[in-house]
Amino acid sequence: MRLLLLGGTEFVGRVVAEEALARGWEVTALNRGTRPAPEGVRVLKGDRTAEDGLAALGTGEWDAVVDTWSWAPAAVRDSARALKGRVGHYAYVSSRSVYDFPLVAGADESAPVVASAPDLTGAVPYAEAKRGAELALEAEYGGRALLARAGLILGPYENIGRLPWWLNRIARGGPVLAPGPRGLALQYIDVRDLAVWTLDAVAARLGGPYNLVGPSGHATMGELLEACVRVTGSDAELRWTDPERILAAGVEPWTELPIWLAPGELYDFLHTGSVERAVGAGLRCRPVAETVEDTWAWLRTIGGTAPVRSDRAGVGLDPEREAALLKG
């Protein structure tokens, strides 16, 4: 299998590359060359935001392409046109953020999506960028393009910092503000499970949208944080705190307390989506303990500090604010 990756050096793209190589696939990656690709990947240099950024793709044919682009959709439009007739299948790692907010609990791929366009350039909000890219692919490939609408992604190489923040905070030990309820159902996907499913779907030539995230409740907030305590071996004491008290203190869910959302509309949007279609197409999710353990092992190999994407703000609760809340 000849796979073309548009990206291939960070988080999702890197893990997709590693999984493809493990299968014995021939992997080519187009990127700016600012970070090393996994050993065994043939790298073509190109900046998709530049006028001649796709010049390196002027020749060649591939069985499939996996695209992880997250910015202005015109770049996906251009690559889709440039590769048409030379790739057997086009898969795009999109996002569940394309759905229009609010979203009812249990919504599937038929839910309303945000308005966007495939020709947008410049700074485009994330949801509109992902949806615009989907529209670009639909215009060129119709329903044959695979739209993998990923949810919250965790695991080794994470470049947002959510699970790494919790691991490092708990590794410091002592009392830890644990946002409740302890049994709050989470919905996320390990990046390696995302890669496995995507490549299986590419090989099967699946098309159309799929919510690519684990089932809601595959893990709970309690199971996630307790796994962090176990793998770090710290003396951390999880102090479960009611959502009402956290919100009243002005703490921002998702950013100051990564992964966590208080029950409500945003929680329903991000943690309760239907994944029946992806599960029916073979999605399997590993235990949360494995995700936590392997992320901690990776963090230790790079000195404990996870890389963070340049377009994302840092996450995590200030230690002084946490201490004040714990005393409260």
Side-chain angles (χ1 to χ4, degrees):
M1 189 78 154
R2 297 165 300 167
L3 178 69
L4 172 63
L5 267 174
L6 300 180
T9 60
E10 289 191 273
F11 200 21
V12 173
R14 185 176 193 87
V15 176
V16 170
E18 291 180 349
E19 174 62 25
L21 290 169
R23 297 179 180 211
W25 291 13
E26 179 185 303
V27 182
T28 300
L30 175 81
N31 53 57
R32 291 174 297 170
T34 56
R35 297 177 182 82
E39 185 177 352
V41 174
R42 173 178 173 243
V43 177
L44 302 176
K45 288 190 178 181
D47 182 349
R48 298 173 71 180
T49 64
E51 185 175 346
D52 60 347
L54 297 177
L57 297 180
T59 60
E61 294 184 358
W62 294 270
D63 298 304
V65 56
V66 174
D67 190 344
T68 62
W69 187 255
S70 296
W71 295 276
V76 175
R77 174 204 63 195
D78 293 344
S79 62
R81 290 175 178 172
L83 293 168
K84 196 169 183 179
R86 296 191 289 123
V87 293
H89 192 61
Y90 203 119
Y92 178 59
V93 181
S94 186
S95 170
R96 291 188 65 250
S97 294
V98 301
Y99 294 114
D100 204 9
F101 184 84
L103 197 65
V104 298
D108 64 13
E109 292 84 355
S110 66
V113 293
V114 298
S116 190
D119 302 318
L120 299 177
T121 59
V124 181
Y126 183 74
E128 285 84 344
K130 286 292 190 181
R131 179 55 186 156
E134 290 186 352
L135 290 170
L137 290 176
E138 289 173 345
E140 300 297 328
Y141 298 93
R144 294 180 293 113
L146 174 65
L147 309 178
R149 292 175 175 168
L152 170 64
I153 308 172
L154 304 176
Y157 303 123
E158 187 195 332
N159 58 359
I160 305 298
R162 296 183 179 110
L163 182 53
W165 182 84
W166 277 114
L167 282 161
N168 284 324
R169 169 60 194 93
I170 286 174
R172 293 202 308 269
V176 175
L177 179 68
R182 181 184 173 280
L184 187 71
L186 301 179
Q187 189 165 40
Y188 70 95
I189 189 167
D190 186 296
V191 65
R192 296 163 296 180
D193 297 331
L194 181 154
V196 167
W197 186 90
T198 300
L199 293 184
D200 286 347
V202 161
R205 299 291 180 91
L206 298 185
Y210 286 81
N211 288 336
L212 189 52
V213 65
S216 181
H218 179 70
T220 64
M221 199 70 201
E223 290 167 341
L224 177 76
L225 297 190
E226 287 159 8
C228 291
V229 174
R230 286 195 303 273
V231 302
T232 59
S234 81
D235 64 353
E237 176 194 352
L238 299 177
R239 295 195 178 174
W240 293 100
T241 306
D242 291 338
E244 295 78 12
R245 181 160 174 257
I246 293 172
L247 297 177
V251 174
E252 289 292 332
W254 196 256
T255 53
E256 289 188 290
L257 290 174
I259 301 171
W260 177 78
L261 289 168
E265 286 185 336
L266 188 54
Y267 171 84
D268 289 344
F269 188 94
L270 291 172
H271 283 303
T272 69
S274 169
V275 294
E276 289 183 11
R277 192 170 191 226
V279 170
L283 176 63
R284 299 294 179 267
C285 298
R286 68 195 67 207
V288 66
E290 185 175 334
T291 299
V292 171
E293 181 177 354
D294 292 348
T295 303
W296 179 239
W298 163 69
L299 273 176
R300 285 182 293 172
T301 68
I302 61 171
T305 302
V308 178
R309 280 173 46 165
S310 60
D311 63 326
R312 298 295 183 94
V315 299
L317 186 61
D318 178 79
E320 292 185 3
R321 293 195 71 197
E322 181 189 22
L325 273 165
L326 288 170
K327 288 179 180 178

